[in-house]
Amino acid sequence: MAAAPRSAEPAAYHTGCRDSLGQLYHHHQPWLQQLLSRRLGCGESAADLAQDAFVRLLQTPRHLDSFDGARAYLSRMAKGLCVDHWRRLDIEKAWQDALAARAEAHLPSVEHQQIVIETLCEIDRMLARLPEKVATAFLASQLQGKPYRQIAEELGVSERMIKKYMAQAMLQCTLIEAGFEANL
């Protein structure tokens, strides 16, 4: 005997279709917002992230084959959105700590501060996409000013490999500057 359907939910959603996305939103948005609220402990942030999830579905349509499949996909998306949210909060906190050390007369405008935070978030996303050794080499070179030879010794690779790592990281920086994101 076949399992009874949960309710009158459609069997599949193709988020490229306005009607299907509307159905997906109608059937899953309250559940997704509640899930996010439990994870974040904040209803307002949960509402924002739930909206972000559906905006992403508008931007990158998906075929979700069932009610349970849609929930599973939205649940995975929610996890990623929460991680991004927490990382952004960490970046904002670090930026605020750095600003607290400055004299008030030398603080950038609020608009400039938001631009810096967005840029730092983009760099964080870029570093997260890079292989660990590439990101480590890039940070050691750019933030700590270490020479390639020293980085190579610390990572147990050749200096030539460090040059390749840096080229890979710099390519990602160039793509960010150009407004593109490349998948590694």
Side-chain angles (χ1 to χ4, degrees), residues 128-154:
R129 286 192 308 267
L130 292 174
E132 185 177 347
K133 283 188 176 184
V134 175
T136 300
F138 179 75
L139 291 173
S141 172
Q142 298 301 305
L143 295 182
Q144 299 168 347
K146 292 182 180 179
Y148 289 2
R149 179 171 289 150
Q150 181 181 354
I151 299 168
E153 290 171 8
E154 291 173 3

PDB file of all heavy atoms in Angstrom, residues 128-154:
ATOM      1  N   ALA A 128      37.032  31.092   2.048  1.00  0.00           N
ATOM      2  CA  ALA A 128      36.354  29.841   2.396  1.00  0.00           C
ATOM      3  C   ALA A 128      36.277  28.895   1.200  1.00  0.00           C
ATOM      4  O   ALA A 128      36.240  27.677   1.371  1.00  0.00           O
ATOM      5  CB  ALA A 128      34.956  30.128   2.941  1.00  0.00           C
ATOM      6  N   ARG A 129      36.253  29.439  -0.023  1.00  0.00           N
ATOM      7  CA  ARG A 129      36.193  28.612  -1.229  1.00  0.00           C
ATOM      8  C   ARG A 129      37.561  28.045  -1.619  1.00  0.00           C
ATOM      9  O   ARG A 129      37.642  27.070  -2.345  1.00  0.00           O
ATOM     10  CB  ARG A 129      35.646  29.418  -2.410  1.00  0.00           C
ATOM     11  CG  ARG A 129      34.169  29.680  -2.341  1.00  0.00           C
ATOM     12  CD  ARG A 129      33.648  30.219  -3.668  1.00  0.00           C
ATOM     13  NE  ARG A 129      34.379  31.366  -4.182  1.00  0.00           N
ATOM     14  CZ  ARG A 129      34.054  32.639  -3.966  1.00  0.00           C
ATOM     15  NH1 ARG A 129      33.011  32.931  -3.247  1.00  0.00           N
ATOM     16  NH2 ARG A 129      34.773  33.616  -4.489  1.00  0.00           N
ATOM     17  N   LEU A 130      38.608  28.693  -1.163  1.00  0.00           N
ATOM     18  CA  LEU A 130      39.955  28.252  -1.523  1.00  0.00           C
ATOM     19  C   LEU A 130      40.353  27.002  -0.736  1.00  0.00           C
ATOM     20  O   LEU A 130      39.948  26.845   0.418  1.00  0.00           O
ATOM     21  CB  LEU A 130      40.972  29.356  -1.227  1.00  0.00           C
ATOM     22  CG  LEU A 130      40.907  30.614  -2.073  1.00  0.00           C
ATOM     23  CD1 LEU A 130      41.886  31.655  -1.540  1.00  0.00           C
ATOM     24  CD2 LEU A 130      41.201  30.310  -3.531  1.00  0.00           C
ATOM     25  N   PRO A 131      41.191  26.153  -1.341  1.00  0.00           N
ATOM     26  CA  PRO A 131      41.750  25.048  -0.558  1.00  0.00           C
ATOM     27  C   PRO A 131      42.521  25.613   0.644  1.00  0.00           C
ATOM     28  O   PRO A 131      43.061  26.732   0.584  1.00  0.00           O
ATOM     29  CB  PRO A 131      42.689  24.357  -1.550  1.00  0.00           C
ATOM     30  CG  PRO A 131      42.151  24.721  -2.899  1.00  0.00           C
ATOM     31  CD  PRO A 131      41.587  26.115  -2.742  1.00  0.00           C
ATOM     32  N   GLU A 132      42.596  24.855   1.710  1.00  0.00           N
ATOM     33  CA  GLU A 132      43.174  25.346   2.963  1.00  0.00           C
ATOM     34  C   GLU A 132      44.602  25.883   2.800  1.00  0.00           C
ATOM     35  O   GLU A 132      44.932  26.959   3.302  1.00  0.00           O
ATOM     36  CB  GLU A 132      43.156  24.239   4.014  1.00  0.00           C
ATOM     37  CG  GLU A 132      43.627  24.705   5.379  1.00  0.00           C
ATOM     38  CD  GLU A 132      43.540  23.637   6.438  1.00  0.00           C
ATOM     39  OE1 GLU A 132      42.891  22.595   6.206  1.00  0.00           O
ATOM     40  OE2 GLU A 132      44.125  23.853   7.505  1.00  0.00           O
ATOM     41  N   LYS A 133      45.449  25.146   2.098  1.00  0.00           N
ATOM     42  CA  LYS A 133      46.835  25.598   1.938  1.00  0.00           C
ATOM     43  C   LYS A 133      46.920  26.892   1.124  1.00  0.00           C
ATOM     44  O   LYS A 133      47.765  27.745   1.398  1.00  0.00           O
ATOM     45  CB  LYS A 133      47.695  24.510   1.297  1.00  0.00           C
ATOM     46  CG  LYS A 133      48.070  23.404   2.276  1.00  0.00           C
ATOM     47  CD  LYS A 133      49.070  22.450   1.656  1.00  0.00           C
ATOM     48  CE  LYS A 133      49.510  21.419   2.686  1.00  0.00           C
ATOM     49  NZ  LYS A 133      50.552  20.529   2.135  1.00  0.00           N
ATOM     50  N   VAL A 134      46.050  27.038   0.151  1.00  0.00           N
ATOM     51  CA  VAL A 134      46.043  28.257  -0.668  1.00  0.00           C
ATOM     52  C   VAL A 134      45.645  29.450   0.204  1.00  0.00           C
ATOM     53  O   VAL A 134      46.301  30.500   0.174  1.00  0.00           O
ATOM     54  CB  VAL A 134      45.097  28.114  -1.879  1.00  0.00           C
ATOM     55  CG1 VAL A 134      45.005  29.418  -2.661  1.00  0.00           C
ATOM     56  CG2 VAL A 134      45.544  26.971  -2.784  1.00  0.00           C
ATOM     57  N   ALA A 135      44.594  29.287   0.991  1.00  0.00           N
ATOM     58  CA  ALA A 135      44.148  30.376   1.863  1.00  0.00           C
ATOM     59  C   ALA A 135      45.207  30.710   2.912  1.00  0.00           C
ATOM     60  O   ALA A 135      45.472  31.883   3.183  1.00  0.00           O
ATOM     61  CB  ALA A 135      42.832  29.996   2.542  1.00  0.00           C
ATOM     62  N   THR A 136      45.823  29.685   3.479  1.00  0.00           N
ATOM     63  CA  THR A 136      46.865  29.901   4.491  1.00  0.00           C
ATOM     64  C   THR A 136      48.044  30.658   3.890  1.00  0.00           C
ATOM     65  O   THR A 136      48.559  31.602   4.504  1.00  0.00           O
ATOM     66  CB  THR A 136      47.328  28.550   5.073  1.00  0.00           C
ATOM     67  OG1 THR A 136      46.210  27.903   5.672  1.00  0.00           O
ATOM     68  CG2 THR A 136      48.421  28.733   6.111  1.00  0.00           C
ATOM     69  N   ALA A 137      48.482  30.248   2.699  1.00  0.00           N
ATOM     70  CA  ALA A 137      49.596  30.926   2.035  1.00  0.00           C
ATOM     71  C   ALA A 137      49.242  32.382   1.734  1.00  0.00           C
ATOM     72  O   ALA A 137      50.051  33.292   1.971  1.00  0.00           O
ATOM     73  CB  ALA A 137      49.969  30.189   0.749  1.00  0.00           C
ATOM     74  N   PHE A 138      48.043  32.612   1.242  1.00  0.00           N
ATOM     75  CA  PHE A 138      47.601  33.963   0.907  1.00  0.00           C
ATOM     76  C   PHE A 138      47.595  34.860   2.142  1.00  0.00           C
ATOM     77  O   PHE A 138      48.133  35.968   2.128  1.00  0.00           O
ATOM     78  CB  PHE A 138      46.207  33.904   0.282  1.00  0.00           C
ATOM     79  CG  PHE A 138      45.652  35.247  -0.081  1.00  0.00           C
ATOM     80  CD1 PHE A 138      46.109  35.936  -1.197  1.00  0.00           C
ATOM     81  CD2 PHE A 138      44.658  35.826   0.695  1.00  0.00           C
ATOM     82  CE1 PHE A 138      45.594  37.180  -1.529  1.00  0.00           C
ATOM     83  CE2 PHE A 138      44.136  37.070   0.369  1.00  0.00           C
ATOM     84  CZ  PHE A 138      44.606  37.752  -0.748  1.00  0.00           C
ATOM     85  N   LEU A 139      47.025  34.368   3.234  1.00  0.00           N
ATOM     86  CA  LEU A 139      46.969  35.165   4.461  1.00  0.00           C
ATOM     87  C   LEU A 139      48.354  35.407   5.042  1.00  0.00           C
ATOM     88  O   LEU A 139      48.660  36.510   5.515  1.00  0.00           O
ATOM     89  CB  LEU A 139      46.063  34.483   5.494  1.00  0.00           C
ATOM     90  CG  LEU A 139      44.577  34.467   5.139  1.00  0.00           C
ATOM     91  CD1 LEU A 139      43.792  33.627   6.130  1.00  0.00           C
ATOM     92  CD2 LEU A 139      44.022  35.883   5.083  1.00  0.00           C
ATOM     93  N   ALA A 140      49.203  34.383   5.015  1.00  0.00           N
ATOM     94  CA  ALA A 140      50.563  34.539   5.546  1.00  0.00           C
ATOM     95  C   ALA A 140      51.332  35.592   4.753  1.00  0.00           C
ATOM     96  O   ALA A 140      52.070  36.405   5.324  1.00  0.00           O
ATOM     97  CB  ALA A 140      51.296  33.203   5.522  1.00  0.00           C
ATOM     98  N   SER A 141      51.141  35.603   3.456  1.00  0.00           N
ATOM     99  CA  SER A 141      51.833  36.571   2.609  1.00  0.00           C
ATOM    100  C   SER A 141      51.254  37.975   2.761  1.00  0.00           C
ATOM    101  O   SER A 141      51.995  38.943   2.967  1.00  0.00           O
ATOM    102  CB  SER A 141      51.734  36.130   1.148  1.00  0.00           C
ATOM    103  OG  SER A 141      52.231  37.128   0.292  1.00  0.00           O
ATOM    104  N   GLN A 142      49.923  38.078   2.658  1.00  0.00           N
ATOM    105  CA  GLN A 142      49.293  39.392   2.608  1.00  0.00           C
ATOM    106  C   GLN A 142      49.119  40.059   3.966  1.00  0.00           C
ATOM    107  O   GLN A 142      49.221  41.274   4.072  1.00  0.00           O
ATOM    108  CB  GLN A 142      47.938  39.287   1.903  1.00  0.00           C
ATOM    109  CG  GLN A 142      48.043  38.823   0.462  1.00  0.00           C
ATOM    110  CD  GLN A 142      48.887  39.744  -0.393  1.00  0.00           C
ATOM    111  OE1 GLN A 142      48.619  40.940  -0.462  1.00  0.00           O
ATOM    112  NE2 GLN A 142      49.924  39.208  -1.015  1.00  0.00           N
ATOM    113  N   LEU A 143      48.833  39.279   4.987  1.00  0.00           N
ATOM    114  CA  LEU A 143      48.595  39.875   6.306  1.00  0.00           C
ATOM    115  C   LEU A 143      49.827  39.872   7.200  1.00  0.00           C
ATOM    116  O   LEU A 143      50.033  40.803   7.972  1.00  0.00           O
ATOM    117  CB  LEU A 143      47.454  39.146   7.028  1.00  0.00           C
ATOM    118  CG  LEU A 143      46.077  39.248   6.386  1.00  0.00           C
ATOM    119  CD1 LEU A 143      45.046  38.523   7.224  1.00  0.00           C
ATOM    120  CD2 LEU A 143      45.671  40.705   6.181  1.00  0.00           C
ATOM    121  N   GLN A 144      50.623  38.816   7.089  1.00  0.00           N
ATOM    122  CA  GLN A 144      51.783  38.705   7.963  1.00  0.00           C
ATOM    123  C   GLN A 144      53.072  39.113   7.267  1.00  0.00           C
ATOM    124  O   GLN A 144      54.113  39.221   7.903  1.00  0.00           O
ATOM    125  CB  GLN A 144      51.897  37.269   8.494  1.00  0.00           C
ATOM    126  CG  GLN A 144      50.685  36.878   9.314  1.00  0.00           C
ATOM    127  CD  GLN A 144      50.621  35.377   9.603  1.00  0.00           C
ATOM    128  OE1 GLN A 144      51.335  34.586   9.000  1.00  0.00           O
ATOM    129  NE2 GLN A 144      49.757  35.004  10.531  1.00  0.00           N
ATOM    130  N   GLY A 145      53.006  39.316   5.952  1.00  0.00           N
ATOM    131  CA  GLY A 145      54.173  39.759   5.203  1.00  0.00           C
ATOM    132  C   GLY A 145      55.293  38.737   5.112  1.00  0.00           C
ATOM    133  O   GLY A 145      56.449  39.091   4.885  1.00  0.00           O
ATOM    134  N   LYS A 146      54.954  37.478   5.270  1.00  0.00           N
ATOM    135  CA  LYS A 146      55.983  36.434   5.227  1.00  0.00           C
ATOM    136  C   LYS A 146      56.453  36.221   3.792  1.00  0.00           C
ATOM    137  O   LYS A 146      55.653  36.264   2.849  1.00  0.00           O
ATOM    138  CB  LYS A 146      55.438  35.111   5.778  1.00  0.00           C
ATOM    139  CG  LYS A 146      55.149  35.146   7.258  1.00  0.00           C
ATOM    140  CD  LYS A 146      54.656  33.789   7.746  1.00  0.00           C
ATOM    141  CE  LYS A 146      54.371  33.825   9.234  1.00  0.00           C
ATOM    142  NZ  LYS A 146      53.872  32.516   9.713  1.00  0.00           N
ATOM    143  N   PRO A 147      57.754  35.967   3.624  1.00  0.00           N
ATOM    144  CA  PRO A 147      58.255  35.657   2.280  1.00  0.00           C
ATOM    145  C   PRO A 147      57.812  34.260   1.852  1.00  0.00           C
ATOM    146  O   PRO A 147      57.540  33.385   2.685  1.00  0.00           O
ATOM    147  CB  PRO A 147      59.779  35.736   2.442  1.00  0.00           C
ATOM    148  CG  PRO A 147      60.037  35.571   3.894  1.00  0.00           C
ATOM    149  CD  PRO A 147      58.805  36.051   4.616  1.00  0.00           C
ATOM    150  N   TYR A 148      57.739  34.056   0.542  1.00  0.00           N
ATOM    151  CA  TYR A 148      57.271  32.777  -0.001  1.00  0.00           C
ATOM    152  C   TYR A 148      58.093  31.605   0.530  1.00  0.00           C
ATOM    153  O   TYR A 148      57.550  30.541   0.820  1.00  0.00           O
ATOM    154  CB  TYR A 148      57.312  32.783  -1.523  1.00  0.00           C
ATOM    155  CG  TYR A 148      56.262  33.655  -2.184  1.00  0.00           C
ATOM    156  CD1 TYR A 148      55.360  34.423  -1.453  1.00  0.00           C
ATOM    157  CD2 TYR A 148      56.171  33.696  -3.559  1.00  0.00           C
ATOM    158  CE1 TYR A 148      54.410  35.205  -2.080  1.00  0.00           C
ATOM    159  CE2 TYR A 148      55.216  34.477  -4.205  1.00  0.00           C
ATOM    160  CZ  TYR A 148      54.348  35.233  -3.452  1.00  0.00           C
ATOM    161  OH  TYR A 148      53.405  36.000  -4.072  1.00  0.00           O
ATOM    162  N   ARG A 149      59.394  31.782   0.650  1.00  0.00           N
ATOM    163  CA  ARG A 149      60.262  30.695   1.126  1.00  0.00           C
ATOM    164  C   ARG A 149      59.838  30.238   2.528  1.00  0.00           C
ATOM    165  O   ARG A 149      59.742  29.046   2.797  1.00  0.00           O
ATOM    166  CB  ARG A 149      61.727  31.134   1.125  1.00  0.00           C
ATOM    167  CG  ARG A 149      62.664  30.036   1.640  1.00  0.00           C
ATOM    168  CD  ARG A 149      64.102  30.380   1.447  1.00  0.00           C
ATOM    169  NE  ARG A 149      64.359  30.295   0.017  1.00  0.00           N
ATOM    170  CZ  ARG A 149      65.259  31.011  -0.643  1.00  0.00           C
ATOM    171  NH1 ARG A 149      66.012  31.857   0.002  1.00  0.00           N
ATOM    172  NH2 ARG A 149      65.422  30.876  -1.939  1.00  0.00           N
ATOM    173  N   GLN A 150      59.575  31.181   3.406  1.00  0.00           N
ATOM    174  CA  GLN A 150      59.166  30.834   4.773  1.00  0.00           C
ATOM    175  C   GLN A 150      57.798  30.136   4.775  1.00  0.00           C
ATOM    176  O   GLN A 150      57.589  29.161   5.491  1.00  0.00           O
ATOM    177  CB  GLN A 150      59.116  32.094   5.651  1.00  0.00           C
ATOM    178  CG  GLN A 150      58.733  31.805   7.084  1.00  0.00           C
ATOM    179  CD  GLN A 150      58.659  33.070   7.934  1.00  0.00           C
ATOM    180  OE1 GLN A 150      59.002  34.162   7.493  1.00  0.00           O
ATOM    181  NE2 GLN A 150      58.196  32.903   9.160  1.00  0.00           N
ATOM    182  N   ILE A 151      56.880  30.630   3.965  1.00  0.00           N
ATOM    183  CA  ILE A 151      55.551  30.013   3.872  1.00  0.00           C
ATOM    184  C   ILE A 151      55.683  28.587   3.346  1.00  0.00           C
ATOM    185  O   ILE A 151      55.045  27.655   3.868  1.00  0.00           O
ATOM    186  CB  ILE A 151      54.615  30.848   2.955  1.00  0.00           C
ATOM    187  CG1 ILE A 151      54.424  32.261   3.525  1.00  0.00           C
ATOM    188  CG2 ILE A 151      53.265  30.145   2.798  1.00  0.00           C
ATOM    189  CD1 ILE A 151      53.772  33.233   2.546  1.00  0.00           C
ATOM    190  N   ALA A 152      56.528  28.405   2.350  1.00  0.00           N
ATOM    191  CA  ALA A 152      56.741  27.074   1.780  1.00  0.00           C
ATOM    192  C   ALA A 152      57.261  26.113   2.845  1.00  0.00           C
ATOM    193  O   ALA A 152      56.783  24.972   2.951  1.00  0.00           O
ATOM    194  CB  ALA A 152      57.718  27.149   0.602  1.00  0.00           C
ATOM    195  N   GLU A 153      58.197  26.560   3.635  1.00  0.00           N
ATOM    196  CA  GLU A 153      58.733  25.711   4.705  1.00  0.00           C
ATOM    197  C   GLU A 153      57.654  25.355   5.720  1.00  0.00           C
ATOM    198  O   GLU A 153      57.544  24.206   6.140  1.00  0.00           O
ATOM    199  CB  GLU A 153      59.910  26.421   5.398  1.00  0.00           C
ATOM    200  CG  GLU A 153      61.156  26.529   4.557  1.00  0.00           C
ATOM    201  CD  GLU A 153      62.227  27.411   5.184  1.00  0.00           C
ATOM    202  OE1 GLU A 153      62.067  27.835   6.358  1.00  0.00           O
ATOM    203  OE2 GLU A 153      63.228  27.694   4.497  1.00  0.00           O
ATOM    204  N   GLU A 154      56.858  26.335   6.099  1.00  0.00           N
ATOM    205  CA  GLU A 154      55.805  26.103   7.089  1.00  0.00           C
ATOM    206  C   GLU A 154      54.734  25.150   6.571  1.00  0.00           C
ATOM    207  O   GLU A 154      54.190  24.352   7.330  1.00  0.00           O
ATOM    208  CB  GLU A 154      55.175  27.433   7.511  1.00  0.00           C
ATOM    209  CG  GLU A 154      56.098  28.305   8.330  1.00  0.00           C
ATOM    210  CD  GLU A 154      55.536  29.684   8.613  1.00  0.00           C
ATOM    211  OE1 GLU A 154      54.379  29.970   8.218  1.00  0.00           O
ATOM    212  OE2 GLU A 154      56.256  30.493   9.225  1.00  0.00           O
TER     213      GLU A 154
END
